[in-house]
Each structure stands twice: as C-alpha cells, then as structure tokens.
Amino acid sequence: MRFLFGVAEAGAFPGSARTFYNWLPPGERGIANGILFSGAMIGGGVSFPICAWLLGLSGWRTAFYLLAIPRLSVGLALVDLFRDHPARPVVQEVSACAAGMSFGAGVPLRADGPAMIQYFVGTSTFYIGVTWMLPT
C-alpha cells in the first residue's frame, strides 16, 4: 500500500513545477515553490499528531474515510476546473547566457553543495519519521 501511495504522489512536485512554469511569470515561481514546499513540510508535521488522535478516537477505517473525502473532493474539483495553460500565455524570459551552457556549469557545487546535502538529509529524516513512526 505504501508503494502505491508513493506511485500516486510521485508526480506532485514535477507536475506543480510545470504548472508554475505555464501559469506564472519567472519572478513569481520561486515564491510559489516555496509555498508548496513549506506547505508539504508543515502539513506532514501537523497531520501526524492529528491522525494519531483521529485513529485513537474512531479507528483506522473511519479515519481513512474522513481523510479520503476531502482529498477526493478537491481532486475532482481540480480535474473539472484546472486547465494546462491559461487563456493568455505567460511571457517567458529566456536567458541569453543559458544557450550552449553545459549541465555542470549550471550546478555550482561549491556554493550549493552543502545546502543540497542538508536538505536531502533533513527531508529524508522528516519523511521517515512521518511515514514510519506509528502512534503508540
């Protein structure tokens, strides 16, 4: 079941990145991604004790349905309302210096390496704690 949840959720962040690209000008994409990532982290941390309380109160079947109903409602609304592209295209800025640049030149490990390692370790630890620690 965990595998199936992982498969179902795997496209969330790549899909949101493409949505932000299609719908937002370049100057607003960073803020949108920050809100998305913050919401994912805060939601995961806040939902853990709430779900533990809900499980103790009503059992896992009732908790499952109480959590599934809002998600299905939002999912169905998005399928009905959301479109791949806005009615008016967003102006995309193209950097002249990016043409012909190699991948290695675009990833400055000296500056970003420690931040990437910290984020990987912190996120891995967070998700292991949230998904594998069961309430007692």
Side-chain angles (χ1 to χ4, degrees), residues 19-122:
T19 301
F20 295 156
Y21 179 81
N22 289 345
W23 283 80
L24 299 174
E28 296 178 10
R29 293 181 197 147
I31 293 170
N33 273 312
I35 291 169
L36 177 72
F37 286 124
S38 296
M41 294 292 192
I42 292 169
V46 170
S47 66
F48 185 63
I50 292 172
C51 287
W53 171 77
L54 193 58
L55 284 170
L57 185 68
S58 61
W60 73 268
R61 286 186 174 99
T62 304
F64 179 82
Y65 290 118
L66 289 174
L67 294 172
I69 290 169
R71 290 186 108 178
L72 287 172
S73 302
V74 169
L76 290 173
L78 286 175
V79 166
D80 185 47
L81 299 173
F82 187 74
R83 301 291 174 251
D84 288 340
H85 296 281
R88 291 184 302 165
V90 175
V91 176
Q92 304 295 342
E93 296 174 7
V94 178
S95 174
C97 66
M101 184 190 311
S102 69
F103 178 74
V107 182
L109 289 180
R110 286 186 185 173
D112 295 337
M116 288 190 293
I117 292 168
Q118 179 273 333
Y119 190 77
F120 174 77
V121 171

